[in-house]
């Protein structure tokens, strides 16, 4: 009987969540082909292969173990980041997250080594890392990864934000790292300063409402068919006689009607905001309103793209 393997709460965070589709594919592959890659461990703790290990245990699939040697958990974490980052496309959320975490662990690792060698320096009170050590670490990583040191430091901010989401809205954290929803680097960094309520609204919009796809301003354009795209048969005009002549078509009529209606919607929204204590309203009422506002926002975005 093989030894029972363990997980470390900090190291398992570096195991990027899978989408349901990816998990299904992994399970099917393991069931059909067996476990072809060993489970990597250190001191009985899984470093790589958490998902494979769980499926293998649940389905009684044989697996091999490869034991690694590291001085401490920081060194093990650096190995995990450097190995896994290669599995993801550049600028994807897992890629940014792993580089950001790698940078964080590398700073700590360098600091501990410098302390052992008697290095003395003023430290950052927030991280307990020598101030000058930050630039040294990001410069070295930038050379290794082929990017600017400032990019490495920016990715660290992205990682901080993603990790914070796990403490507030784990479902949003999982959706971002599994690729189910996407945000730009700057959008993710801005979430660092958002309050919990705002984060929850983002989770509701992009995770709970999976039927609504994310759209970026200025990116998605609606398709417009040109006359040249039609078949010759489609271009033929049929003339019917004996029908009463209709008034000339006014292309601005619907737009003018909408322009006159929208101010009433704005007034209704403002009235509800001023007259309602949202803390007293039921969750069901707020959820229904939120869904309607999201649908309205989507339609507004579509209309703006048409203008």
């Amino acid at each position: 009987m093989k030894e029972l393997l363990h997980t470390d709460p900090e190291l398992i965070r570096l195991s990027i969540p899978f989408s349901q589709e990816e998990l299904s594919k992994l399970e099917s592959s393991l069931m059909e082909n067996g476990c072809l890659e060993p489970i990597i461990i250190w001191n009985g703790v899984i470093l790589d292969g958490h998902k494979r290990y769980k499926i293998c245990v649940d389905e009684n699939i044989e697996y091999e173990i490869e034991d690694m040697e590291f001085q401490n958990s920081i060194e093990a974490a650096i190995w995990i980041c450097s190995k896994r980052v290669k599995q993801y496309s550049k600028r994807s959320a897992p890629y940014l997250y792993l580089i950001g975490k790698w940078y964080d662990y590398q700073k700590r690792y360098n600091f501990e080594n410098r302390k052992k060698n008697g290095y003395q320096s003023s430290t950052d009170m927030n991280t307990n890392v020598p101030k000058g050590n930050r630039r040294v670490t990001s410069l070295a990583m930038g050379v290794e990864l082929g990017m600017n040191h400032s990019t490495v430091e920016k990715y660290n901010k992205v990682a901080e934000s993603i990790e914070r989401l796990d403490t507030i809205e784990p479902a949003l954290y999982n959706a971002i790292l599994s690729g189910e929803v996407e945000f730009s680097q700057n959008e993710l960094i801005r979430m660092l300063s958002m309050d919990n309520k705002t984060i929850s609204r983002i989770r509701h919009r992009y995770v709970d409402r999976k039927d609504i796809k994310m759209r970026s301003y200025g990116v998605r354009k609606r398709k417009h068919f040109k006359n040249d795209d039609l078949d010759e048969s489609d271009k033929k005009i049929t003339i019917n006689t004996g029908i009463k002549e209709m008034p000339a078509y006014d292309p601005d009529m619907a737009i003018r009607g909408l322009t006159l209606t929208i101010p009433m919607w704005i007034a209704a929204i403002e009235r509800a905001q001023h007259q309602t204590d949202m803390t007293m309203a039921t969750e069901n009422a707020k959820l229904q309103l939120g869904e309607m506002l999201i649908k309205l926002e989507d339609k507004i975005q579509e209309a703006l793209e048409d203008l």
Side-chain angles (χ1 to χ4, degrees):
M1 181 178 178
K2 290 187 176 180
E3 64 175 306
L4 179 65
L5 303 182
H6 305 281
T7 59
D8 179 277
E10 185 173 0
L11 297 181
I12 201 172
R13 293 174 72 88
L14 302 175
S15 178
I16 303 299
F18 274 13
S19 66
Q20 194 56 50
E21 182 182 357
E22 289 173 321
L23 278 175
S24 297
K25 286 182 179 179
L26 176 61
E27 185 172 2
S28 297
S29 174
L30 289 170
M31 295 287 286
E32 292 176 12
N33 308 312
C35 188
L36 304 179
E37 295 182 60
I39 309 299
I40 311 297
I41 68 170
W42 166 67
N43 288 345
V45 175
I46 300 175
L47 301 183
D48 186 65
H50 296 86
K51 304 175 188 70
R52 279 181 283 123
Y53 175 70
K54 184 180 186 306
I55 295 172
C56 287
V57 171
D58 290 345
E59 302 296 337
N60 198 28
I61 299 172
E62 287 293 321
Y63 59 88
E64 298 296 325
I65 292 175
E66 183 177 339
D67 206 339
M68 303 286 287
E69 292 186 7
F70 297 106
Q71 296 179 21
N72 50 46
S73 61
I74 297 177
E75 190 175 339
I78 292 172
W79 178 85
I80 295 171
C81 293
S82 63
K83 179 181 186 298
R84 289 188 180 158
V85 76
K86 300 171 186 175
Q87 301 169 4
Y88 297 96
S89 60
K90 292 183 177 180
R91 289 181 289 279
S92 66
Y95 182 84
L96 307 182
Y97 175 74
L98 288 169
I99 288 182
K101 291 297 296 178
W102 181 358
Y103 170 65
D104 190 48
Y105 285 117
Q106 193 69 56
K107 282 189 301 181
R108 290 162 58 184
Y109 180 80
N110 292 347
F111 178 44
E112 292 300 324
N113 280 347
R114 289 158 76 89
K115 270 204 314 183
K116 287 179 184 178
N117 295 328
Y119 177 82
Q120 298 293 327
S121 172
S122 58
T123 59
D124 186 311
M125 294 181 65
N126 294 323
T127 62
N128 199 35
V129 173
K131 294 177 181 177
N133 198 43
R134 295 182 168 201
R135 183 56 53 82
V136 170
T137 302
S138 60
L139 283 169
M141 283 189 62
V143 171
E144 182 174 350
L145 295 166
M147 62 179 65
N148 192 281
H149 70 86
S150 61
T151 303
V152 176
E153 293 166 11
K154 182 178 183 180
Y155 290 176
N156 181 239
K157 284 292 182 185
V158 172
E160 284 181 32
S161 182
I162 292 176
E163 204 152 72
R164 175 175 176 258
L165 294 178
D166 191 28
T167 65
I168 303 171
E169 290 291 350
L172 180 59
Y173 165 87
N174 286 328
I176 290 171
L177 285 183
S178 66
E180 292 179 5
V181 298
E182 295 180 2
F183 295 96
S184 70
Q185 296 173 29
N186 290 333
E187 286 171 334
L188 288 169
I189 292 174
R190 281 199 294 273
M191 290 183 194
L192 266 174
S193 58
M194 293 180 182
D195 57 35
N196 292 6
K197 189 175 180 181
T198 303
I199 295 297
S200 295
R201 282 201 293 265
I202 293 173
R203 183 265 307 157
H204 169 68
R205 179 178 183 185
Y206 295 119
V207 179
D208 295 351
R209 295 179 50 79
K210 291 183 180 178
D211 58 315
I212 301 227
K213 295 182 178 180
M214 291 183 61
R215 290 190 283 264
S216 300
Y217 288 96
V219 175
R220 189 182 63 84
K221 295 294 182 184
R222 292 168 63 90
K223 276 191 176 181
H224 296 281
F225 291 99
K226 297 179 181 178
N227 225 24
D228 295 336
D229 297 329
L230 301 175
D231 294 334
E232 288 300 319
S233 59
D234 295 326
K235 295 180 183 179
K236 293 178 180 178
I237 299 175
T238 303
I239 300 176
N240 296 315
T241 60
I243 300 177
K244 183 179 179 180
E245 186 177 344
M246 299 297 290
Y249 170 66
D250 181 359
D252 293 341
M253 182 171 65
I255 293 177
R256 283 198 299 267
L258 186 58
T259 303
L260 293 172
T261 304
I262 289 175
M264 291 188 288
W265 299 348
I266 296 173
I269 293 172
E270 291 176 342
R271 186 164 57 251
Q273 287 178 302
H274 294 150
Q275 295 179 358
T276 306
D277 183 351
M278 291 297 178
T279 61
M280 300 290 290
T282 65
E283 287 301 316
N284 186 51
K286 289 190 286 187
L287 182 61
Q288 290 179 353
L289 175 60
E291 289 177 348
M292 289 300 103
L293 289 173
I294 289 170
K295 287 183 179 180
L296 176 60
E297 184 182 29
D298 289 340
K299 286 298 178 185
I300 291 172
Q301 176 60 30
E302 289 180 10
L304 286 172
E305 291 172 353
D306 282 339
L307 294 179

